[in-house]
Amino acid sequence: MPFKQILSWLQNLFGSRQSFSLGLYGNVNAGKSTLANRISKDWSGEEMSTVSEVPHETREVVKKERLAVRVDGKILTMNLLDMPGIATKVDYRDFIKRGMKLPDAQKRAKEATKGIIEAIKWLEHVDAAMLVMDACEDPYTQVNITILGNLEARKIPVIIVANKIDKKNAKPDRIKAAFPQHPIVEISALKGDHMDQLYRAIAQYAK
Amino acid sequence: MGIEIQFISADKLKDKTPPQKVEYILDQVKKSKNRILVIEGSLSATDEKELIAKTMGEVSKNFPGIEVASLGEQSSTLKTQLIKLLGGKPSGLTVVGPSTLVKQIKRDPDKLSLLTGK
């Protein structure tokens, strides 16, 4: 058993640190599952979600339980929850445009709507959240505002993640300007850039 | 066929519970494929969350969902509670339309722009 896991086990045994649930929220295709995979791979060696360019790849909540994250010598034990992307519309015709056959497209749309409802229900149960935004897109979407508003109303700590900063057209400053009241970390989940900053932010704000 | 814009006074919704409010809005949106609602007052974050969840429960071949945006204060502050107590109307507005008609709502902190099309 690696040292990290032994330490985590001992800490849990003596109750020095309890685990908390951390939900990854955001619009569809913001990079939540790529980020979940990055975090999971960094601390457990294995990925947890499937990633796709086709929207609504994650259609049910994917959990990675008791993930031990080491930050500045301390261990945080978290249950990481990769949520389906939240949207106000799901049109099966959009999947057909991406090459899917009608029955598959309709099935995906049906599952996606259920996933969105499930993600919304979880808003009341997470201990902390990361709101993942695509830094190339307009951050001022109703989905982002609704998620933030609900987390704020329940006083659930939230970190805004400005993702995809490796892309040329990324503008993380727009996110900072739109939501100055929240901690914001700029990362590339795909490349692994600035993940150390994100782990420090989790230790500071989310635990 | 033209676009119908329906303006709804805050008085119409003030006595409704959150689920009734969400049901009313969704019913109005679904009644016509060419209707956009402009509601006096902004929906709370909780109302919006419930509206999205209820919409997802009703998505079908002919109704893929909505576009929605609110302007103004969404949380219940002392100021908004006082205004309500004194019989005043909430500030802000909410725009809701079927996604088959409203393709996008762009927002600034103080401005909404609707892009429609079929």
Side-chain angles (χ1 to χ4, degrees), chain A residues 86-93 106 109-110 112-114 116-117 120 123-124 138 140-143 145-146 148-150 153-154, chain B residues 45-46 48-50 52-53 55-57 59-70 74 99-100 102-103 106-109:
Chain A
I86 294 179
T88 58
K89 59 184 173 187
V90 180
D91 195 336
Y92 73 94
R93 285 163 282 237
Q106 287 177 327
K110 185 87 181 162
T113 59
K114 284 183 180 169
I116 292 167
I117 294 170
I120 287 172
L123 271 170
E124 297 174 12
D138 177 10
Y140 223 59
T141 66
Q142 196 60 39
V143 165
I145 290 162
T146 301
L148 267 180
N150 279 279
R154 293 188 161 267
Chain B
T46 309
E48 278 174 1
K49 178 188 77 172
E50 295 303 328
I52 295 172
T55 300
M56 286 302 111
V59 163
S60 64
K61 184 182 167 188
N62 296 321
F63 178 69
I66 58 168
E67 285 289 348
V68 56
S70 276
Q74 292 184 286
S99 63
T100 46
V102 182
K103 297 299 169 196
K106 282 199 151 199
R107 56 181 298 164
D108 277 322

Side-chain angles (χ1 to χ4, degrees), chain A residues 2-13:
Chain A
F3 173 75
K4 197 165 67 184
Q5 283 173 286
I6 294 171
L7 192 63
S8 172
W9 178 76
L10 283 171
Q11 283 181 322
N12 288 324
L13 186 68

Side-chain angles (χ1 to χ4, degrees), chain A residues 25 123 126 129 146-156 158:
Chain A
Y25 278 95
L123 271 170
V126 293
T146 301
I147 293 169
L148 267 180
N150 279 279
L151 293 170
E152 285 169 358
R154 293 188 161 267
K155 301 195 186 323
I156 294 170
V158 57

Side-chain angles (χ1 to χ4, degrees), chain A residues 40 44 46-48 62-67 78-82:
Chain A
S40 182
S44 74
E46 56 190 28
E47 296 188 341
M48 59 184 280
V62 183
K63 299 172 195 167
K64 183 77 180 178
E65 293 185 330
R66 307 203 65 76
L67 197 63
M78 65 170 87
N79 299 320
L80 190 62
L81 304 166
D82 182 17

Side-chain angles (χ1 to χ4, degrees), chain A residues 122-198:
Chain A
W122 267 96
L123 271 170
E124 297 174 12
H125 302 294
V126 293
D127 297 316
M130 290 200 285
L131 178 51
V132 184
M133 298 184 193
D134 182 341
C136 305
E137 301 289 332
D138 177 10
Y140 223 59
T141 66
Q142 196 60 39
V143 165
N144 285 339
I145 290 162
T146 301
I147 293 169
L148 267 180
N150 279 279
L151 293 170
E152 285 169 358
R154 293 188 161 267
K155 301 195 186 323
I156 294 170
V158 57
I159 298 164
I160 295 178
V161 180
N163 191 24
K164 306 190 186 182
I165 59 161
D166 56 299
K167 292 198 171 179
K168 279 184 182 170
N169 55 340
K171 290 178 183 167
D173 286 346
R174 284 193 304 187
I175 297 174
K176 287 180 178 173
F179 306 106
Q181 70 275 37
H182 292 286
I184 296 170
V185 184
E186 299 174 22
I187 67 154
S188 165
L190 187 67
K191 307 270 183 187
D193 297 340
H194 302 174
M195 290 302 293
D196 51 343
Q197 290 175 24
L198 183 62

